[in-house]
DNA sequence: TTGAAAGCGCTACCAT
DNA sequence: ATGGTAGCGCTTTCAA
């Protein structure tokens, strides 16, 4: 193992000069720097991580708390995880992945042992225990999603309420007066209450204000249940001209396939909007216009929020990202 | 931050005694141990990770190299990642997640800086660069999957060849003489050549030996392409009584749905076997008999292989797990 | 612009 | 059965 001493000797300088040259924390003459760079390259020197952690103030590791719920949509989950890793690497941080058994104790473990500089929290629910854990430990942390009590916490999320209103507006602008909704499974709603309810409430309010008829159903992950919901929509909202999906990709596929089998043409008969979609709506059989879930942006924001705290900032707060609309042609004007 | 010194003072012993009491590396009297345990509990002492890494021989962190390919099946990927984390935690190790940009440099970075004790490698392809990286660095590592040149490496995988043969045997035993196959996308085959080809070759050999007719198709991730493949099977193998899926869940769903729409009943008209399935075949609309991909077992084996090397063992080799058959009733005897 | 040296908190060796 | 202490490799004063 190559140490800083060997680099110093090879470059003919002291170890502190090597350290400063590498950290850039003080001015080094061009010639000295060149000699050090050369020695580093020749010896293929890599500073020892443990030593840096011990001597320095930071570990350059972020913990990622990403517990997997029973009914989680794994692709979305994976996208969040990947996005956090990419964002962290952009800040020269590595990511330590905490899974199920570690919901609360895991965070304490890695924070208390100074294994990580901060924590990024995914899959946040309204009554999330991790909020209290973070508050108590005083750890640098950022939540992707909004817990019930956000006091003292840094959170980032899509503005789901605004996304709900924007969904109605997009369809209303095209003349739609009767909109069906397929939402996340009811079990989801109960637990993650946060974002789903924010979306649904705002959506309903906007419909009411605009005098638009609407019916929202929350089928389970069972395919038959999903087809049943599609039929119910057709029956309960006979003059439905638009459909909003606020659910995961497989449900969208199943419901659309069923509608097609029932003779409903998309988008000729029914316009469709994929709201807060975490998947690529362009890869579906019928590309769907969408208000995407900006998960890269959310994860990037969370990582930056956490890193900022590591760097000493103390400015907690909730950041709500504005929804954006992407037209893929699945919304047609009502004749 | 609570240090070992404070614990020692509170317990009225030396720091070395505290260290030994916690590591269990030497005998401690019951009374002393009790005093130390109490002090640890009262002070909520957590050993500093950096200090342990520096002073000790290990970091208790494993790197997980899990690059995401363009056409990857995210749920499967996530299951592997989760399984590795669970297995690592069972050995008291944490997992550092390396993603796309880190394919090769990431492994070098974390290994050379002694950030991790070892590496678990996922998504291994026949010409995987990471094999050479590991060989050269001499890092403790275990591959989930089998690269082309396994010299000096520790690998673990399902015995795909045996799985191919077992698939034929299961169906042949039920009297089937004409078996269709829907495999992974052709793009997959080209890259991951390893396991897919091993399965396919053994499957064909076994069919040939048993005088069974077979036709294998490798539709892309496009739904229309998958339906076309199903039709091709029906046309190219008119007396087909059995179908083997060696592909991912969404393809299975799409093909099965299309067959149903074509009036083919499963399993009455066509028996179905899900080979090397990484998903829950019991949650499908028609539960499928399966030879599951034992991914938890694979990941557990890999973690154990890596940990064993960290502990000094030098016994590289390829472990092939025997396939198992799980009957869910989707294979019917041919009348 | 550079160097010397004091820790960082722990493990493990050498004593007793 | 327990204690003293020398490092582990680095960062960061303090000095020059």
């Amino acid at each position: 193992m190559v140490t800083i001493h060997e680099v110093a000797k090879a470059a003919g300088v002291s170890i502190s000069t090597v350290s400063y040259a590498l950290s850039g924390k003080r001015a080094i003459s061009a010639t000295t720097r060149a000699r050090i760079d050369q020695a580093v390259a020749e010896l293929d020197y890599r500073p020892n991580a443990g030593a840096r952690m011990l001597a320095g103030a930071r570990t350059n590791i972020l913990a990622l708390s990403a517990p997997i719920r029973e009914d989680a949509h794994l692709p979305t989950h994976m996208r969040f995880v990947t996005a956090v890793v990419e964002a962290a690497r952009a800040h020269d941080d590595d990511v330590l992945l905490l899974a199920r058994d570690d919901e609360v104790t895991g965070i304490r473990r890695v924070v208390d042992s100074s294994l990580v500089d901060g924590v990024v929290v995914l899959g946040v629910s309204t009554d999330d225990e991790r909020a209290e854990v973070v508050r108590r430990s005083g750890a640098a942390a950022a939540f992707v999603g909004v817990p019930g009590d956000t006091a003292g916490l840094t959170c980032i999320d899509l503005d789901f309420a605004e996304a709900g209103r924007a969904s109605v507006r997009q369809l209303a602008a095209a003349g739609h007066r009767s909109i069906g909704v397929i939402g996340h499974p009811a079990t989801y709603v109960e637990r993650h209450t946060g974002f789903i309810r924010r979306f649904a409430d705002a959506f309903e309010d906007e419909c009411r204000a605009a005098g638009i008829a609407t019916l929202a159903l929350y089928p389970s992950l069972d395919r038959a249940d999903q087809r049943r919901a599609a039929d119910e929509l057709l029956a309960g909202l006979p003059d439905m001209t638009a459909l909003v999906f606020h659910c995961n990709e497989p449900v969208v596929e199943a419901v659309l396939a069923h509608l097609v089998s029932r003779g409903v043409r998309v988008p000729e008969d029914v316009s469709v909007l994929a709201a807060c979609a975490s998947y690529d709506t362009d890869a579906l059989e019928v590309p769907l216009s969408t208000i995407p879930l900006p998960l890269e942006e959310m994860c990037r924001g969370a990582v930056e929020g956490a890193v900022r705290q590591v760097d000493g900032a103390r400015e907690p707060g909730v950041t709500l990202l504005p929804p954006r609309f992407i037209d893929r042609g699945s919304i047609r004007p009502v004749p």
Side-chain angles (χ1 to χ4, degrees), chain A residues 17-102:
Chain A
T17 300
V18 174
S19 178
Y20 282 119
L22 292 176
S23 71
K25 287 186 181 170
R26 81 177 179 192
I28 304 285
S29 73
T31 55
T32 305
R33 152 151 286 133
R35 300 230 306 291
I36 291 174
D37 285 348
Q38 194 193 339
V40 166
E42 276 175 5
L43 298 172
D44 195 25
Y45 168 68
R46 248 19 111 81
N48 179 281
R52 293 187 87 160
M53 291 188 197
L54 185 56
R58 48 195 299 174
T59 67
N60 281 298
I61 300 177
L62 291 179
L64 173 54
S65 174
I68 296 181
R69 322 289 183 186
E70 192 61 39
D71 54 358
H73 187 236
L74 262 22
T76 300
H77 196 89
M78 191 70 224
R79 288 192 186 98
F80 271 106
V81 170
T82 306
V84 169
V85 172
E86 305 268 281
R89 290 297 306 135
H91 288 266
D92 212 49
D93 279 331
D94 270 301
V95 170
L96 199 83
L97 186 57
L98 303 177
R100 183 157 52 276
D101 76 300
D102 276 327

Side-chain angles (χ1 to χ4, degrees), chain A residues 5 28 47 49 51 55 61 100 120 126 136 152 165 180 199 215 240 254 266 277 294 299 303 309:
Chain A
H5 285 97
I28 304 285
I61 300 177
R100 183 157 52 276
V120 172
T126 16
R136 266 217 264 276
R165 288 186 288 270
F199 178 91
L215 174 59
M240 173 176 84
V266 172
C299 292
V303 166
Q309 288 169 56

Side-chain angles (χ1 to χ4, degrees), chain A residues 73 75-76 79 184 223 247-255 278-281 283-284:
Chain A
H73 187 236
T76 300
R79 288 192 186 98
H184 282 286
R223 293 278 174 270
C247 55
N248 288 316
E249 186 172 17
V251 180
V252 174
E253 270 205 90
V255 169
S278 61
Y279 48 91
D280 181 7
T281 62
L284 294 168

Side-chain angles (χ1 to χ4, degrees), chain A residues 4-328:
Chain A
I4 197 172
H5 285 97
E6 309 177 42
V7 175
K9 187 187 296 176
V13 297
S14 71
I15 64 163
S16 56
T17 300
V18 174
S19 178
Y20 282 119
L22 292 176
S23 71
K25 287 186 181 170
R26 81 177 179 192
I28 304 285
S29 73
T31 55
T32 305
R33 152 151 286 133
R35 300 230 306 291
I36 291 174
D37 285 348
Q38 194 193 339
V40 166
E42 276 175 5
L43 298 172
D44 195 25
Y45 168 68
R46 248 19 111 81
N48 179 281
R52 293 187 87 160
M53 291 188 197
L54 185 56
R58 48 195 299 174
T59 67
N60 281 298
I61 300 177
L62 291 179
L64 173 54
S65 174
I68 296 181
R69 322 289 183 186
E70 192 61 39
D71 54 358
H73 187 236
L74 262 22
T76 300
H77 196 89
M78 191 70 224
R79 288 192 186 98
F80 271 106
V81 170
T82 306
V84 169
V85 172
E86 305 268 281
R89 290 297 306 135
H91 288 266
D92 212 49
D93 279 331
D94 270 301
V95 170
L96 199 83
L97 186 57
L98 303 177
R100 183 157 52 276
D101 76 300
D102 276 327
E103 186 103 352
V104 164
T105 58
I107 293 180
R108 266 211 278 270
R109 183 169 54 77
V110 297
V111 166
D112 290 354
S113 63
S114 300
L115 216 199
V116 303
D117 295 325
V119 187
V120 172
V121 183
L122 292 187
V124 177
S125 61
T126 16
D127 57 347
D128 209 300
E129 303 174 279
R130 295 171 296 176
E132 195 51 33
V133 172
V134 165
R135 255 190 298 261
R136 266 217 264 276
S137 69
F143 290 72
V144 177
V146 183
D149 178 5
T150 63
L153 302 180
T154 296
C155 312
I156 188 167
D157 208 349
L158 169 65
D159 188 338
F160 279 91
E162 185 54 30
R165 288 186 288 270
S167 297
V168 176
R169 269 188 253 117
Q170 285 293 340
L171 293 167
H176 296 277
R177 314 291 304 160
S178 183
I179 308 176
V181 178
I182 296 287
H184 282 286
T187 53
Y188 253 61
V189 184
E190 283 155 28
R191 227 200 13 251
H192 300 109
T193 322
F195 75 90
I196 298 182
R197 192 142 289 167
R198 286 198 294 278
F199 178 91
D201 289 349
F203 187 95
E204 272 183 45
D205 288 350
E206 190 75 11
C207 280
R208 199 173 303 120
I212 290 177
T214 184
L215 174 59
L217 296 178
Y218 301 86
S220 75
L221 293 180
D222 181 68
R223 293 278 174 270
D225 203 35
Q226 293 156 17
R227 289 192 294 266
R228 211 174 301 128
D231 288 335
E232 245 178 86
L233 238 37
L234 255 23
L237 222 49
D239 49 355
M240 173 176 84
T241 60
L243 178 56
V244 170
F245 286 111
H246 185 209
C247 55
N248 288 316
E249 186 172 17
V251 180
V252 174
E253 270 205 90
V255 169
L256 284 181
H258 185 63
L259 287 179
V260 168
S261 81
R262 291 285 309 266
V264 177
R265 293 168 305 166
V266 172
E268 291 80 359
D269 300 329
V270 170
S271 287
V272 175
L273 171 65
C276 316
S278 61
Y279 48 91
D280 181 7
T281 62
D282 210 14
L284 294 168
E285 290 213 66
V286 179
L288 297 182
S289 296
T290 182
I291 292 175
L293 184 70
L295 58 82
E296 284 89 359
E297 206 179 335
M298 289 160 67
C299 292
R300 212 180 308 131
V303 166
E304 269 154 22
V307 168
R308 222 178 298 126
Q309 288 169 56
V310 175
D311 292 338
R314 270 296 149 199
E315 35 188 40
V318 178
T319 303
L320 293 183
L321 301 174
R324 284 170 319 177
F325 173 76
I326 295 181
D327 187 358
R328 299 209 196 284

